[in-house]
Amino acid sequence: MDHLETAPDQSARILELWAGFVPGKRIGSLVDGAILEGTGAALELIDPTNGTAFANFNDAGDAVVDAAMASATLAQRAWAAMTASARGRVLYEIGRLVRQNAEAIAELECRAAGRPIRDMRGEAQRVAEMFEYYAGWCDKLHGEVIPVPSSHLNYTRREPLGVVTQITPWNAPLFTGGWQIAPAIAAGNGVVIKPSELTPLSTIILGILCEKAGAPRGLVNVLAGQGSTTGAAAVGHAATALVVFVGSSGGGMAVAEAAARNLIPCILELGGKSANIVFPDADLDRAVLGAQSAIFGGAGQSCVAGSRLLVHRSVHAQFVERYAQAAGRIPFGHPAEPMTQIGPINNRRQFEKIDAMVARGVSEGARLAGGGRAGGALGQSGGFFYAPTILDGVLPQMEIAREEVFGPVVAVMTFETEEEAVALANATPYGLAGAVWTQNVARAHRVAAGVRAGTFWINGYKTINVMSPFGGFGKSGYGRSSGLEAMHAYTQPKSVWVETAENPPVAFGYSG
Ligand code: NAD
């Protein structure tokens, strides 16, 4: 368990944070340092543990988007005028404030998104690390001097793009918010971020902490609103210089199309259908545990979830038996309980989608080896509790083998040869992640090279870190929004030519 560096007055802090932006349980968008009421449709935030509304707001709408863009544009100019070292100090301070408020933020995310408190405590620390990591990059991103074959001094500058519009989903709003905001502002940009309309609160907190840490007011504006209205308005806004979209592949296509109309580049972080491959020579005890965390962690609401479990035919029967027994023992319940490892599904629509996909999998011939809608008190709670679910005997042509479920549902398939395993892993248009379990080093590296995916694990699953590039192949998206790659993605190079000759020849064509 991570050591938590928390303020002594945690209960006071959470009330302060909560009261600061949820007056009378009304929320709004964080624009230019203030909370603005939206003008669009009435929306509610629903507690996933009981299905009841706990806050409400109006969709931000065009006027709020305009105000956010104007604020980010002005703030970005002030931010870019600061020295890189001064910007780095602000990012470091944001990280410190996240650590100081970690317990309050974790509690809020647990309550609002239904995610287990033990996971949220860790995630709050990861978010602090994101700002700390990019704090270090601020004054280390520089251009180059290029030895051109003429009398010129030629150098490059890496300049920020301006205002970056970021759109994020509901599954890990705090984590994704930090992951996107930190590199964008480290590179000198302003941000307008629209988290999912289902989970805007933790991103609003991050925006507030950015300003508290010394960022110019309005450097990070947070829109509370829907995708098709507020999100689309932000993507299509004239001030947007880059769109970063984290969400479904369908949403990514719509956003990329809209951005293309303004010739705006995109980074797309989309869905997945990742394969977790188990060879018979693997340490099967560890593989059973790893394959559980791969799909059941976060109740499967993870883009990198190992939703396809490919097991060698020779160990398949014993593996599935042990796996099903172990899955039934994972602490599953209310996310605020300290031991809970699997909480509810975030929202009713997703809950029903998961259930319908499981039913279709069974009707197509898969065998339900455990799981389904929760029974007992959890089933009666009105919340969206779905037990860890194992569908065995899945064939490649079934929907459950091809489409993302985004829930705690694993599709188990078998293979005979390494070639077949790699071919099965690559048999979807997605390419986000994957893993192999084997003690054969050569095979591990062959499979890692053969599987088409942006992230791959050998004898492990789910480790990601802001220092390492993360992103998709194929329909899982393009571009990278972490590591040093993100600093490049969030800037553009400018080439500057300085004549150094006393009497240089004047050229009318391209020269050099
Ligand atoms: P979604 O595509 O429905 O929505 C994502 C976000 O986009 C939301 O904020 C939504 O309001 C907004 N949006 C939707 N249509 C829009 C439009 N036309 N213009 C602008 N904004 C629009 O996805 P979701 O259901 O919220 O999230 C689940 C999906 O996200 C899964 O597919 C999951 O794999 C993916 N995901 C990917 C990553 C990654 O890093 N690759 C991380 C987390 C989640």
Side-chain angles (χ1 to χ4, degrees), residues 167-171 194-197 226-228 231-232 235 245-248 251 254-255 269-272 303 404 406 432 470:
I167 311 271
T168 58
W170 45 260
N171 64 310
K194 193 207 80 62
S196 168
E197 59 276 23
Q226 301 189 107
S228 57
V235 168
F245 178 87
V246 187
S248 62
V255 162
E269 304 275 14
L270 309 177
C303 54
E404 184 183 46
F406 216 54
L432 195 57
F470 176 81

Side-chain angles (χ1 to χ4, degrees), residues 5-148:
E5 209 184 286
T6 54
D9 57 341
Q10 276 316 313
S11 53
R13 286 294 307 162
I14 192 167
L15 287 176
E16 188 192 316
L17 286 166
W18 180 257
F21 60 86
V22 195
K25 295 197 175 184
R26 290 279 302 161
I27 70 156
S29 299
L30 177 71
V31 175
D32 206 35
I35 299 296
L36 285 195
E37 286 261 355
T39 54
L43 301 167
E44 287 179 326
L45 298 184
I46 305 294
D47 182 339
T49 65
N50 57 28
T52 61
F54 65 92
N56 57 71
F57 62 110
N58 286 81
D59 189 7
D62 290 357
V64 174
V65 172
D66 284 344
M69 291 292 171
S71 170
T73 301
L74 276 182
Q76 190 271 331
R77 284 184 202 139
W79 183 238
M82 288 166 61
T83 64
S85 319
R87 289 200 301 267
R89 284 193 291 275
V90 172
L91 264 95
Y92 204 80
E93 177 63 9
I94 299 170
R96 197 191 66 77
L97 287 176
V98 171
R99 283 191 198 282
Q100 190 183 46
N101 293 287
E103 185 63 19
I105 294 171
E107 282 178 28
L108 184 91
E109 185 85 331
C110 165
R111 174 175 173 183
R115 310 209 35 229
I117 186 69
R118 56 185 281 171
D119 291 357
M120 291 310 92
R121 290 185 173 128
E123 273 195 24
Q125 302 300 317
R126 300 290 86 74
V127 170
E129 285 167 9
M130 293 167 196
F131 287 96
E132 290 159 358
Y133 169 72
Y134 281 110
W137 269 122
C138 288
D139 58 6
K140 289 163 199 73
L141 186 76
H142 46 66
E144 297 176 312
V145 175
I146 298 169
V148 291

Side-chain angles (χ1 to χ4, degrees), residues 138-200:
C138 288
D139 58 6
K140 289 163 199 73
L141 186 76
H142 46 66
E144 297 176 312
V145 175
I146 298 169
V148 291
S150 66
S151 53
H152 297 89
L153 166 68
N154 175 238
Y155 66 90
T156 57
R157 293 163 50 83
R158 292 218 73 97
E159 298 191 351
L161 296 153
V163 176
V164 177
T165 288
Q166 302 179 328
I167 311 271
T168 58
W170 45 260
N171 64 310
L174 173 69
F175 189 89
T176 315
W179 192 269
Q180 301 304 340
I181 293 169
I185 63 174
N189 299 285
V191 167
V192 173
I193 181 166
K194 193 207 80 62
S196 168
E197 59 276 23
L198 302 170
T199 52

